[in-house]
Amino acid sequence: MKESKAPDYAKKECWQHFPEITKDVDTFYIFATDYILASFEEGAPDYAPLDNEEFLFGTKVEYRDHASAYEDATNVFAPYYRQSGLRYAGEVIKETGNFDNALLSLPYEDITAALDYYFENCNGGRPFILAGHSQGSAMVLLLLRTYFKDHPEYYARMVAAYTIGYSVTNDYLEANPHLKFTTGETDTGVIIAWNTEGPENVKTNARNIVVLPGTRSINPLNWKLDETYAPASMNLGSIIEDPKTGETSIGDVGADAQINLARGVVVTNAKTAPMPEEAARIGASFFGPDGRHANDYTYYYNNIKANVAKRVAAYMANR
């Protein structure tokens, strides 16, 4: 595969997940940054080679822990793409203040090629959800103001866009009046988003590269936009990984949720699992000392799954 050419998405090996069609609605899921530690190695390319072991392993885990939340209600399509590495993303944000500048080349070329193939050959006119996490969510927001603005015939069938783990700002919404932020649990044609942090990030006003000025979050437990506290008793189940076996289960980590309107984030007191020292150091430098970015999905996994089913049902009932 030539570096300058997008993958051939007619080939199933260019998709991390390519489903059998068993549902009336699809999800097109875009992966977060899974090219992380390897991107800091000397001479590492800015964008993930599609045969990079860390990237491939990361997308497998991310599908299990994030994208699978959409499986019960939809057919999930998840393409590989030459995503920005974490090192390069940090450099671009530092230099330009805008992550889009890291997306508007190979990542955008690949994802729009995947969307073209999907809509022309796979979608069959079905309604669909757009979803992602972190870099994937930033890509969804970019696509909503570019690709889908140019393809209103596709956009008209969008059930919702879950841009979890990246900022949907007031400026973004004002610049794109055709887009609306969610107001509750079952509205459709809207953007759903939150960024999760621990109390220390809020207390210290820590730098978090995915939390931008004027951002919004909805509470993933009570689906409110205000600061109404949602106790962990409202949590339907979080993903817990056994550190010895790597196996996952659904359990209780005390993941409550309360929006902090001043910062625009969801604050939680959930228990955190220890991370390897190097990963913890890099994570803190990007997401703050009490960032819970990696847990935006896992803390609220069963609530996300239930919400997807509710929005799909609401959309189908009003077709």
Side-chain angles (χ1 to χ4, degrees), residues 126-164:
R126 289 183 299 276
F128 63 92
I129 287 171
L130 295 173
H133 183 239
S134 194
Q135 177 170 176
S137 291
M139 178 62 79
V140 171
L141 291 169
L142 175 59
L143 292 165
L144 285 172
R145 67 176 179 84
T146 55
Y147 184 90
F148 286 96
K149 193 173 183 179
D150 293 339
H151 291 282
E153 73 279 16
Y154 300 156
Y155 179 69
R157 300 200 305 274
M158 189 187 81
V159 175
Y162 286 80
T163 62
I164 299 167

Side-chain angles (χ1 to χ4, degrees), residues 36-37 273-291:
I36 302 172
L37 296 179
M275 296 176 64
E277 184 177 346
E278 180 66 4
R281 182 189 66 79
I282 292 174
S285 69
F286 279 83
F287 306 111
D290 202 7

Side-chain angles (χ1 to χ4, degrees), residues 196-202 206 208 268 270 272 284 287-293:
T196 316
E197 295 191 307
E200 190 64 22
N201 261 27
V202 177
N208 184 335
T268 186
T272 58
F287 306 111
D290 202 7
R292 309 296 180 91
H293 183 64

Side-chain angles (χ1 to χ4, degrees), residues 58 102 176 181:
N176 299 280
F181 196 74

Side-chain angles (χ1 to χ4, degrees), residues 108-309:
Y108 189 79
E109 178 184 340
D110 289 3
I111 291 297
T112 53
L115 281 169
D116 285 345
Y117 181 81
Y118 162 73
F119 280 117
E120 292 167 10
N121 300 279
C122 310
N123 173 256
R126 289 183 299 276
F128 63 92
I129 287 171
L130 295 173
H133 183 239
S134 194
Q135 177 170 176
S137 291
M139 178 62 79
V140 171
L141 291 169
L142 175 59
L143 292 165
L144 285 172
R145 67 176 179 84
T146 55
Y147 184 90
F148 286 96
K149 193 173 183 179
D150 293 339
H151 291 282
E153 73 279 16
Y154 300 156
Y155 179 69
R157 300 200 305 274
M158 189 187 81
V159 175
Y162 286 80
T163 62
I164 299 167
Y166 201 72
S167 285
V168 181
T169 66
N170 294 328
D171 287 346
Y172 175 86
L173 293 167
E174 288 172 7
N176 299 280
H178 64 293
L179 303 175
K180 306 297 180 185
F181 196 74
T182 181
T183 59
E185 189 174 19
T186 60
D187 49 350
T188 60
V190 295
I191 302 172
I192 300 105
W194 62 84
N195 284 293
T196 316
E197 295 191 307
E200 190 64 22
N201 261 27
V202 177
K203 182 180 178 181
T204 61
N205 194 29
R207 176 181 178 268
N208 184 335
I209 65 166
V210 295
V211 177
L212 304 177
T215 192
R216 303 186 187 186
S217 287
I218 192 165
N219 188 312
L221 297 185
N222 61 24
W223 302 101
K224 294 183 177 181
L225 298 172
D226 60 22
E227 294 187 339
T228 302
Y229 176 69
S233 59
M234 296 182 71
N235 195 309
L236 301 178
S238 305
I239 287 185
I240 301 173
E241 181 175 342
D242 187 313
K244 295 181 180 179
T245 66
E247 296 296 315
T248 61
S249 60
I250 298 295
D252 180 5
V253 297
D256 55 358
Q258 184 174 25
I259 291 176
N260 178 284
L261 289 173
R263 192 166 166 87
V265 300
V266 167
V267 184
T268 186
N269 297 290
K271 293 176 285 187
T272 58
M275 296 176 64
E277 184 177 346
E278 180 66 4
R281 182 189 66 79
I282 292 174
S285 69
F286 279 83
F287 306 111
D290 202 7
R292 309 296 180 91
H293 183 64
N295 302 110
D296 287 320
Y297 270 85
T298 59
Y299 282 162
Y300 308 112
Y301 181 83
N302 272 0
N303 292 77
I304 297 169
K305 183 184 290 189
N307 185 251
V308 170

Side-chain angles (χ1 to χ4, degrees), residues 33-58 83-89 91 278-279 281-282 286:
T33 308
D34 291 308
Y35 177 48
I36 302 172
L37 296 179
S39 74
F40 289 90
E41 295 174 358
E42 185 175 355
D46 294 338
Y47 295 96
L50 296 188
D51 60 354
N52 178 268
E53 290 184 6
E54 181 189 33
F55 166 75
L56 293 172
F57 178 77
Q83 61 175 226
S84 170
L86 186 61
R87 172 194 56 78
Y88 184 60
E91 291 173 358
E278 180 66 4
R281 182 189 66 79
I282 292 174
F286 279 83

